[in-house]
Amino acid sequence: MPADGPSARVPGAPGGRMLVAGIGNIFLGDDGFGPEVVRRLGDRADLAPGVRVVDYGIRGMHLAYDLLDGYDALVLVDACPGEGPPGSVTVLEVGADDLGEGEFDAHGMNPVAVLANLGQLGGTLPLTFVVGCLPADLGEGIGLSGAVAAAVPEAMDAVLALVRRSRPTETTGPAGAPVTATTTASASASAPVPAAVEAAATEPRRT
């Protein structure tokens, strides 16, 4: 395993233009949801070229600097508070106006702060989605609760749908010249984006 954490690159991927990032602390029960989803996605052989899957855990600085590589799209997979029963999966689209401000902690993981401070590091916020799952238990311990473990396949399907909908498709333009068009995914949400995203970052993960 590399020193900077587990990651999976699709064979033949040209440098990676979409980043799928697992967020969470595996030692706090259902907070390990994001790492588990990306671990299982990394084992698949049918991801599109150009998609990079990484378990960032609680390494916010690592995520921030990886985003400086200029990805076209970002999918964060995380355990997020919200309405509904534990195991509920929600997809949110996040824009710069949704982020507000957050204090960047080089030793922890606050997704809002990482994205909000990206510009100060010289980067640009890509098209960003959050695939979140409502946790049942965030107490100390390794392993997901039954409801959240059962939601992992649904979250994987949501990520793969975002990958498919956000990938460029080539069509034929005038005089037969190829034209690249990007299809943007539509996000569904059970709560306003700002409230859901800010709630997910109220307690930054730290070692």
Side-chain angles (χ1 to χ4, degrees), residues 7 15 41 79 87 102 105-106 117-118 121 137 145 153-154 157 167 199:
S7 66
L41 281 171
D105 181 358
N117 289 280
L118 192 59
L121 297 175
D137 182 7
S145 64
E154 181 182 352
D157 288 342
R167 300 302 297 168

Side-chain angles (χ1 to χ4, degrees), residues 30 33 80 84-90 132-136 145-152 154-155:
D30 288 338
F33 171 76
C80 301
S88 299
V89 174
T90 303
C133 179
L134 187 67
S145 64
V148 172
V152 169
E154 181 182 352

Side-chain angles (χ1 to χ4, degrees), residues 9-18 48-52 69-72 167:
R9 281 189 181 273
V10 181
R17 302 304 301 166
M18 171 177 269
V51 178
R52 186 183 180 203
D69 286 342
Y71 287 94
D72 299 306
R167 300 302 297 168

Side-chain angles (χ1 to χ4, degrees), residues 58-77:
I58 57 172
R59 302 187 311 280
M61 182 67 77
H62 185 179
L63 172 60
Y65 277 101
D66 275 0
L67 287 172
L68 298 182
D69 286 342
Y71 287 94
D72 299 306
L74 168 68
V75 179
L76 297 173
V77 187

Side-chain angles (χ1 to χ4, degrees), residues 47-129:
L47 288 176
V51 178
R52 186 183 180 203
V53 181
V54 184
D55 172 10
Y56 287 96
I58 57 172
R59 302 187 311 280
M61 182 67 77
H62 185 179
L63 172 60
Y65 277 101
D66 275 0
L67 287 172
L68 298 182
D69 286 342
Y71 287 94
D72 299 306
L74 168 68
V75 179
L76 297 173
V77 187
D78 197 5
C80 301
E83 299 179 356
S88 299
V89 174
T90 303
V91 179
L92 305 169
E93 182 173 356
V94 181
D97 293 339
D98 300 318
L99 298 175
E101 298 180 357
E103 183 178 353
F104 187 65
D105 181 358
H107 302 288
M109 172 60 81
N110 181 330
V112 169
V114 169
L115 300 181
N117 289 280
L118 192 59
Q120 297 183 26
L121 297 175
T124 302
L125 183 70
L127 177 67
T128 300
F129 299 95

